[in-house]
Amino acid sequence: MYYFGKENWRTLERGIEKEWLVTNGIGGYASSTIVNLNTRKYHGLLVAAHNPPGFRVLHLTKLDERFQAGSCTYNLAANDNRSGFAEYGFIHLQQVSVEPLPTFTYSFGDITLVKTIFMAYGRNTTVIHYQARNGAEPAVLTLVPLVNCRGHHYITTQGEINFTQQLKEGGVSIKGREEIPPLLLSSSSGGYIPGDSWYAGMAYAAERERGENPYEDHYIPGRFEIPFAPGESKTFTVVASTEDIDNLDGEELLAAERRHLQGLARQAGYDDHLARRLVRAADAFIVERRSTGKKTVIAGYPWFADWGRDAMIALPGLALVTKRFDDAREVLLTFAKHRRRGLLPNAFFDGAREPVYNAVDASLWFVHAVYKYLNYTKDLDFVREQLYPVVKDIVHWYMTGTDFNIGMDSDGLISAGSPDIQLTWMDAKVDQWVVTPRHGKAVEINALWYNSVCILNMLSSMVGESPAYPELPARIKDNFIKCFWNEENHYLNDVITPDGPEDGLRPNQLMAVSLPYTMLTQEMGRSVVQRVWQELYLTYGIRSLSPFDERYQGVYLGDRLRRDGAYHQGTAWSWLIGPFITAYRRVNNYSPESRVQARRFILPFRDQLRDHGVGYISEIFDADEPAMPRGCIAQAWGVAEVLRALVEDVLEIQPIEETSQYRKTDW
């Protein structure tokens, strides 16, 4: 449980630093700051996924509370406004806890109000659960809904949407855009009084910082009023949904959500407190994809959809370490079903008929995920029937050549891309500017390629066939060392371009040490890890470029041009801590001393879970100290890789590798 007190919101600026997030298992979410002042266009109490996990629409922005007791009115609302008028209702906040459901305790006069927010799993439904104890005076609690009806990437201005409403028992149905289901609001106590007005000019500080439009208008359809007698206590719920809510009971939904979260912890079975917290965090990212009827992985909240690369990197931590093996199978099948010419989708985008395929590494990470799945489940039958043919297909296309100039060169190495397109995970592009050009032979792609060929040979033997390409690994290995090993710097070049090697110190070389099959000697691996530790390690992640490089950008701030210019030019990434810790333990022979140090690498994340997105791992951090969290407040591969490294490399809880007899390493 994460507790926060008044020291966390002594100023407005401090109060908006931390954000809460709850999700519903189909791509929908609710989120705001811990003082319930919205700072993003993505903040809201109900962002519904109408075509899971996509077509996400903001329906209910806020529910502002005002408590009138006798002659005193206590305004609990917290809002910033274009006009400069701000509401500071958070001064009445006594405590906020996230366990992981966000709970807010307000204390004013002789009155206490406790509010808990959660979503019903599998439904586009948010429940706001209230427990209120009135003081000595008769009182009325007024709840004012701020409503919208737009895609969560956009902004609404007054008059843009013609809202209509229809009274229903206990509440109201509010219709916005014709093609979007109405918002249904109901309260289990009090009554609804219709109105018709707008809240003009809500200001979003985070959008202003990102160079986006920071102002928005929201519709106010009316209000709920809940009366209180002197000394009366009430427990009641407000339900916001785009589905039928006639038979929904808020108390039952709360109990069900708590059972769901407790069940995840029991299923994973870890006693370690940090592991249990990360297991709960992992649940936010495993969601339904309606188009396949199976599970997929949301890359990050609040703005990312499901991305192939992110899903495959995150799968071991999200679904295998947590023992959600059925979900792991579904995620693998979701992306396998959509492969094209050996390529897995890079991303599914709203409104697009087909996914996009501009990723050279997603398919290779899929092969690695198959390997990890087999280690954890020993489910060779499923692998043989469903996944082995996909692995063979991927390797075949990479050998013979596929889209985006992806293919094996005569030296056995994989080359991909062109000056105009970026296919690796360092994929920032602004208009025609490829910020980090890495076309040619990238180090992590060829580490993944070697790993994939070795895994295919291993699987061939396990299913009773001859190794598919028995001679190829040795050729890849020899030429990889010749091309990538930088004898002068004692680390690996980042990419071999048509103009020669790019030798900037980047973290991608970690994959050549951390993946199951390595081409490096132990001495080489140790040197790589040491250089990364010296120049790239940054408490909550690994920098994407050395601070000594002239291209280095230490702060990720500003408009899109400035942000994307820093995205892979120094900015530290949380997910890279996983490969780093795995590589560190490996090159140190899993010694007791290396385990102690690995724990030191992990423990700071206990504090990170209390910052930015409470209960989650942030996407990125400024490369300069003090490593401010940036980007998504909750990132799938960040949570997944911290959890995987904690369990496998620190707690040393690993599956028994029946596949180890097929492993071929130098040390």
Side-chain angles (χ1 to χ4, degrees):
M1 184 179 294
Y2 310 94
Y3 288 102
F4 304 95
K6 285 185 176 291
E7 74 276 8
N8 290 280
W9 49 84
R10 284 185 178 136
T11 65
L12 174 62
E13 291 73 25
R14 291 191 63 186
I16 62 177
E17 285 181 351
K18 305 181 194 308
E19 303 174 45
W20 58 265
L21 168 75
V22 293
T23 62
N24 65 354
I26 57 174
Y29 63 89
S31 181
S32 186
T33 61
I34 61 169
V35 296
N36 286 316
L37 187 151
N38 291 358
T39 61
R40 302 182 188 274
K41 60 187 175 185
Y42 299 98
H43 282 157
L45 287 179
L46 177 58
V47 179
H50 291 295
N51 186 22
F55 192 17
R56 287 177 281 186
V57 173
L58 173 66
H59 285 276
L60 180 60
T61 307
K62 301 196 71 195
L63 196 61
D64 283 344
E65 300 95 357
R66 292 172 179 83
F67 208 102
Q68 183 172 351
S71 61
C72 295
T73 298
Y74 300 93
N75 183 7
L76 309 186
N79 294 301
D80 194 8
N81 193 277
R82 184 206 306 259
S83 66
F85 172 75
E87 296 173 279
Y88 289 82
F90 59 85
I91 63 172
H92 300 301
L93 258 180
Q94 187 177 67
Q95 176 182 281
V96 175
S97 65
V98 181
E99 51 151 354
L101 303 181
T103 299
F104 309 87
T105 301
Y106 293 86
S107 178
F108 43 97
D110 54 353
I111 303 163
T112 302
L113 178 73
V114 180
K115 171 173 71 173
T116 299
I117 301 171
F118 66 96
M119 298 193 80
Y121 189 78
R123 306 188 66 158
N124 284 317
T125 300
T126 298
V127 180
I128 303 95
H129 180 274
Y130 289 97
Q131 296 171 288
R133 182 190 179 281
N134 189 28
E137 299 283 346
V140 175
L141 172 62
T142 300
L143 304 176
V144 179
L146 276 63
V147 171
N148 215 306
C149 188
R150 48 92 170 159
H152 71 153
H153 295 302
Y154 302 98
I155 288 287
T156 295
T157 57
Q158 182 174 346
E160 185 178 338
I161 305 172
N162 182 26
F163 287 97
T164 59
Q165 56 180 305
Q166 180 180 354
L167 297 181
K168 303 182 88 60
E169 184 177 355
V172 62
S173 171
I174 304 163
K175 182 69 174 176
R177 300 181 190 276
E178 182 62 34
E179 69 276 14
I180 296 175
L183 168 65
L184 306 176
L185 286 174
S186 70
S187 173
S188 62
S189 181
Y192 176 76
I193 302 172
D196 183 29
S197 63
W198 285 78
Y199 182 103
M202 181 175 287
Y204 299 135
E207 302 304 329
R208 184 185 299 113
E209 185 179 86
R210 288 165 54 86
E212 302 289 335
N213 180 0
Y215 303 115
E216 180 165 32
D217 304 330
H218 298 284
Y219 181 64
I220 302 176
R223 67 187 187 274
F224 290 94
E225 290 189 352
I226 297 92
F228 286 83
E232 183 179 11
S233 295
K234 281 188 179 181
T235 297
F236 63 97
T237 58
V238 174
V239 177
S241 182
T242 61
E243 305 175 14
D244 181 17
I245 59 175
D246 289 343
N247 297 315
L248 292 185
D249 183 292
E251 295 287 342
E252 290 181 2
L253 291 173
L254 178 59
E257 181 62 14
R258 285 179 169 153
R259 286 195 302 271
H260 168 71
L261 295 170
Q262 291 164 0
L264 297 173
R266 283 195 303 271
Q267 182 174 346
Y270 300 117
D271 295 327
D272 182 89
H273 289 299
L274 179 55
R276 291 171 68 88
R277 289 176 174 180
L278 290 168
V279 165
R280 288 197 296 266
D283 183 56
F285 305 100
I286 300 177
V287 301
E288 174 193 344
R289 168 154 281 283
R290 180 174 292 172
S291 65
T292 61
K294 293 180 171 59
K295 295 296 177 65
T296 185
V297 173
I298 288 285
Y301 291 94
W303 49 74
F304 283 134
D306 42 347
W307 292 65
R309 171 191 301 118
D310 299 57
M312 295 304 110
I313 291 174
L315 185 138
L318 297 184
L320 298 179
V321 170
T322 58
K323 300 181 176 62
R324 298 175 65 159
F325 302 139
D326 289 343
D327 291 337
R329 281 190 286 272
E330 290 194 10
V331 173
L332 289 167
L333 290 175
T334 289
F335 284 90
K337 176 182 178 180
H338 283 91
R339 76 185 187 280
R340 185 187 73 186
R341 290 169 55 85
L343 299 180
L344 260 66
N346 184 27
F348 296 88
F349 292 126
D350 281 346
R353 284 188 166 185
E354 296 292 334
V356 294
Y357 289 86
N358 56 324
V360 62
D361 49 353
S363 297
L364 303 178
W365 279 114
F366 174 90
V367 178
H368 174 68
V370 171
Y371 174 91
K372 295 290 287 187
Y373 173 84
L374 185 57
N375 281 344
Y376 269 88
T377 67
K378 310 302 179 287
D379 189 0
L380 183 58
D381 288 342
F382 176 74
V383 172
R384 178 193 294 112
E385 295 167 9
Q386 300 290 339
L387 305 180
Y388 176 58
V390 181
V391 173
K392 285 199 298 183
D393 184 64
I394 289 169
V395 172
H396 164 76
W397 280 105
Y398 274 63
M399 288 184 68
T400 58
T402 185
D403 300 339
F404 305 108
N405 299 319
I406 298 170
M408 187 178 74
D409 207 345
S410 58
D411 58 6
L413 302 178
I414 295 294
S415 181
S418 68
D420 302 321
I421 190 168
Q422 181 57 284
L423 302 176
T424 73
W425 78 278
M426 289 187 163
D427 57 359
K429 185 178 181 181
V430 183
D431 298 325
Q432 299 307 309
W433 176 36
V434 176
V435 182
T436 316
R438 301 184 71 235
H439 61 283
K441 299 172 182 176
V443 64
E444 82 279 12
I445 302 306
N446 281 285
L448 284 161
W449 171 238
Y450 177 80
N451 195 60
S452 297
V453 174
C454 291
I455 289 171
L456 175 57
N457 286 340
M458 176 205 77
L459 292 176
S460 297
S461 298
M462 294 185 74
V463 301
E465 298 179 5
S466 300
Y469 304 102
E471 310 299 328
L472 184 54
R475 178 153 58 106
I476 297 172
K477 176 181 175 179
D478 289 345
N479 287 305
F480 181 89
I481 299 298
K482 289 176 184 176
C483 290
F484 285 97
W485 182 250
N486 189 313
E487 188 61 41
E488 179 181 355
N489 294 318
H490 296 284
Y491 59 70
L492 294 170
N493 295 319
D494 187 61
V495 61
I496 309 301
T497 73
D499 298 324
E502 161 56 54
D503 62 357
L505 180 60
R506 292 191 183 274
N508 304 301
Q509 58 191 301
L510 284 171
M511 309 317 155
V513 190
S514 63
L515 289 168
Y517 294 89
T518 179
M519 296 172 278
L520 305 184
T521 65
Q522 187 171 19
E523 182 181 355
M524 288 175 174
R526 189 177 290 121
S527 179
V528 164
V529 171
Q530 189 64 37
R531 287 301 299 272
V532 169
W533 191 2
Q534 286 176 329
E535 298 185 35
L536 303 184
Y537 172 72
L538 187 74
T539 302
Y540 300 128
I542 306 296
R543 292 184 179 101
S544 49
L545 184 65
S546 168
F548 302 110
D549 194 296
E550 62 182 9
R551 298 165 294 178
Y552 175 81
Q553 300 289 322
V555 178
Y556 181 85
L557 271 179
D559 60 20
R560 183 180 168 224
L561 181 67
R562 293 179 60 192
R563 285 183 282 114
D564 281 355
Y567 208 34
H568 300 296
Q569 300 290 61
T571 299
W573 291 73
S574 58
W575 80 272
L576 290 169
I577 203 72
F580 173 69
I581 290 175
T582 297
Y584 176 82
R585 291 230 58 199
R586 190 176 194 180
V587 300
N588 287 286
N589 297 317
Y590 299 93
S591 67
E593 294 80 11
S594 71
R595 185 184 185 192
V596 171
Q597 181 57 51
R599 181 176 289 276
R600 293 193 188 107
F601 290 137
I602 283 287
L603 288 183
F605 286 96
R606 294 180 302 180
D607 179 65
Q608 216 285 299
L609 286 170
R610 291 176 46 81
D611 195 15
H612 205 202
V614 177
Y616 299 94
I617 302 295
S618 302
E619 177 191 9
I620 52 177
F621 300 83
D622 282 348
D624 288 348
E625 296 289 2
M628 288 290 292
R630 307 288 187 188
C632 279
I633 64 170
Q635 192 76 359
W637 57 9
V639 168
E641 277 298 282
V642 172
L643 176 57
R644 184 199 58 77
L646 169 62
V647 171
E648 293 184 352
D649 297 311
V650 176
L651 302 179
E652 293 187 336
I653 303 172
Q654 296 202 23
I656 299 173
E657 294 197 16
E658 294 177 358
T659 57
S660 61
Q661 60 182 303
Y662 301 99
R663 300 273 298 274
K664 293 184 180 179
T665 60
D666 292 316
W667 33 278

